[in-house]
């Protein structure tokens, strides 16, 4: 057995033992697909660096193959252009824009998609091609189409898939618009390996009624939730959020606009009605993002900052002199007022985790709700 095959088997065994891999077909895919063919080199984060720096790990270096089969996300591109091979010495700073997602998450999502034999699947976000290869191995090349936004990333994925012996249909384009060559109801399933601020309408027409869409909802505050929707008709769907902690990079057409450095400006001050640290929790941050979808969130603990660059609105919190907290707000949108109201409604509902949330999509609106369709909810920024 080669070193690669041994590491693949060890990873599959570990994922089976921890309950991630429960389907024998997906376990077979995990043992069969050589992840190293889809990575070559990758970036690792430099500990305690500010701003965050990344060091390339090049193919053949000590620890390279072991890193490939560690259950973690490996960064493969920074700032939409810098790849590990471009850095030959030292480290580099930048924002991750492409990656190979940790295998446990990829395999868990393929299982959560509930795809059945003979069904056609559209994958949005080819990335390195590793997830695509897993899907092609399990379903067959002819049943899978994958769309990649970045042509450089897409070409590298195509070459890797060929070298691994897989030939699904690959498309370079904006996956948020669906398959440009497919008509209505062309697919039974859609899986996205990027996150979106709302469900693209093209998906709701290309997935047939009764079909399923698995996608991570996120936003400019980078809170995330994995949703499984069932298409109920052309342009409509309903579903629930799934348990766990899933996050992906935002699809580039949904990413926040460029912004200047943040100036902290004076405004109206008052006591905060909630502990600001709650918006730093996984579900609390999700609720805050639903309430203020155009804002970015920064800060930690009691010192939170919200900034809506489109309106110039700001909110910032701080510990108060009496053991409470204060908030300073300015601009036409009172961001913290919205967040406070949403957090208190969520707390009044018993602070459910994300699996207590659902989503209903119609031609007119996309609404995330707590408990049931007629419960407390917020519209996504369509």
């Amino acid at each position: 057995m080669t070193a690669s095959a041994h590491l693949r088997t060890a990873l599959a065994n570990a994922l089976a033992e921890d309950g991630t891999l429960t389907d024998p077909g997906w376990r077979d895919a995990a043992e069969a697909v050589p992840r190293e063919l889809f990575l070559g080199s990758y970036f690792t984060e430099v500990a305690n660096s500010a701003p965050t720096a990344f060091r390339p790990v090049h193919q053949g270096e000590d620890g390279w193959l072991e890193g490939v089969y560690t259950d973690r996300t490996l960064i493969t591109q920074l700032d939409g252009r810098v790849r590990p091979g471009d850095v030959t010495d030292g480290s580099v700073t930048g924002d991750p824009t492409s990656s190979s997602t940790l295998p446990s998450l990829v395999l868990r999502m393929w299982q959560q998609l509930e795809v059945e034999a003979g069904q056609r699947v559209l994958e949005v976000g080819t990335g390195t091609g590793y997830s695509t290869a897993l899907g092609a191995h399990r379903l067959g090349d002819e049943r899978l189409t994958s769309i990649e936004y970045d042509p450089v990333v897409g070409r590298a994925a195509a070459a890797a898939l060929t070298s691994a012996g897989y030939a699904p249909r690959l498309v370079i384009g904006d996956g948020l618009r669906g398959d440009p060559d497919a008509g209505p109801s062309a697919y039974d399933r859609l899986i996205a390996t990027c996150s979106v601020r709302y469900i693209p309408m093209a998906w709701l027409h290309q997935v047939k009624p009764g079909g399923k869409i698995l996608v991570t909802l996120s936003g400019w505050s980078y809170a995330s939730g994995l949703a499984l929707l069932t298409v109920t008709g052309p342009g409509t769907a309903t579903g629930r959020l799934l348990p766990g902690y899933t996050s992906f990079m935002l699809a580039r057409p949904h990413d926040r606009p460029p912004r200047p450095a943040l100036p902290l400006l004076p405004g109206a001050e008052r006591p905060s009605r909630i502990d600001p640290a709650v918006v730093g929790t996984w579900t609390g941050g999700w609720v805050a993002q639903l309430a203020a979808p155009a804002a970015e969130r920064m800060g930690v603990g009691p010192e939170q900052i919200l900034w809506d660059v489109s309106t110039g609105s700001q909110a910032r919190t701080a510990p108060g002199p009496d053991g409470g907290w204060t908030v300073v707000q300015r601009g036409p949108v009172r961001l913290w007022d919205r967040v406070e109201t949403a957090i208190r409604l969520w707390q009044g509902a018993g602070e459910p985790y994300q699996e207590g949330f659902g989503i209903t999509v119609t031609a007119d609106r996309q609404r995330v709700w707590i408990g049931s369709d007629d419960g407390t909810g917020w519209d996504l920024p369509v």
Side-chain angles (χ1 to χ4, degrees):
M1 181 182 289
T2 65
S4 171
H6 176 76
L7 290 168
R8 291 200 299 273
T9 298
L11 178 60
N13 287 340
L15 296 181
E17 289 171 4
D18 70 14
T20 297
L21 271 175
T22 57
D23 183 310
W26 289 111
R27 175 166 181 162
D28 179 65
E31 292 197 50
V33 176
R35 192 185 186 205
E36 70 272 17
L37 294 182
F38 299 89
L39 280 166
S41 302
Y42 52 86
F43 288 111
T44 60
E45 188 173 322
V46 177
N48 302 318
S49 57
T52 302
F54 298 89
R55 179 182 66 84
V57 179
H58 297 294
Q59 185 171 359
E61 291 181 355
D62 288 344
W64 167 78
L65 187 62
E66 290 76 11
V68 167
Y69 286 102
T70 301
D71 188 31
R72 60 174 174 164
T73 294
L74 298 174
I75 304 301
T76 57
Q77 186 190 69
L78 300 172
D79 297 332
R81 57 183 177 81
V82 180
R83 299 179 65 81
D86 300 329
V87 183
T88 57
D89 185 42
S91 61
V92 63
T93 59
D95 293 322
T97 49
S98 190
S99 66
S100 181
T101 303
L102 68 164
S104 61
L105 176 55
V106 173
L107 288 157
R108 174 165 60 86
M109 287 180 63
W110 271 118
Q111 292 179 127
Q112 289 171 316
L113 187 63
E114 301 174 358
V115 60
E116 299 174 4
Q119 292 183 330
R120 295 190 66 201
V121 177
L122 177 62
E123 179 188 47
V124 176
T126 312
T128 64
Y130 175 66
S131 172
T132 313
L134 292 169
H137 183 90
R138 179 73 168 86
L139 307 172
D141 291 334
E142 71 282 359
R143 295 291 176 182
L144 180 62
T145 293
S146 186
I147 304 179
E148 172 56 44
Y149 185 86
D150 187 311
V152 175
V153 171
R155 287 193 294 269
L161 283 159
T162 298
S163 69
Y166 300 104
R169 178 169 168 260
L170 302 177
V171 178
I172 300 297
D174 184 356
L176 304 190
R177 298 185 178 185
D179 181 349
D181 299 317
S185 301
Y187 291 97
D188 302 282
R189 297 286 190 271
L190 185 149
I191 184 171
T193 59
C194 58
S195 64
V196 295
R197 298 180 75 209
Y198 57 85
I199 308 300
M201 193 55 60
W203 297 1
L204 299 162
H205 286 275
Q206 290 201 332
V207 175
K208 63 182 60 174
K212 297 182 184 296
I213 295 172
L214 184 66
V215 61
T216 302
L217 295 171
S218 189
W220 294 345
S221 288
Y222 302 108
S224 298
L226 182 64
L228 180 64
L229 297 95
T230 299
V231 176
T232 53
T236 63
T238 187
R240 305 287 303 197
L241 273 79
L242 302 180
Y245 305 95
T246 302
S247 64
F248 282 97
M249 298 173 192
L250 271 167
R252 295 187 200 181
H254 279 202
D255 207 353
R256 65 167 175 79
R259 59 167 171 77
L262 171 63
L264 293 176
L265 302 173
E269 182 174 343
R270 65 165 176 81
S272 173
R273 296 182 296 163
I274 63 169
D275 179 352
V278 73
V279 305
T281 66
W282 183 270
T283 311
W286 163 255
V287 174
Q289 183 175 267
L290 290 171
E296 293 181 62
R297 183 180 69 84
M298 295 156 273
V300 294
E303 298 181 341
Q304 298 288 332
I305 299 172
L306 298 176
W307 185 24
D308 178 351
V309 69
S310 63
T311 65
S313 302
Q314 293 182 9
R316 65 182 185 274
T317 65
D322 58 353
W325 312 274
T326 62
V327 59
V328 174
Q329 299 185 90
R330 65 174 289 121
V333 181
R334 288 299 190 248
L335 297 171
W336 198 250
D337 290 4
R338 295 186 178 188
V339 168
E340 279 181 333
T341 299
I343 291 292
R344 295 181 76 175
L345 287 169
W346 169 62
Q347 291 173 334
E351 300 186 16
Y353 293 111
Q354 281 183 316
E355 55 264 41
F357 290 71
I359 178 172
T360 300
V361 178
T362 67
D364 300 322
R365 66 192 300 201
Q366 299 189 15
R367 184 173 181 269
V368 172
W369 38 262
I370 295 176
S372 61
D373 185 56
D374 57 357
T376 296
W378 300 267
D379 286 343
L380 295 180
V382 179

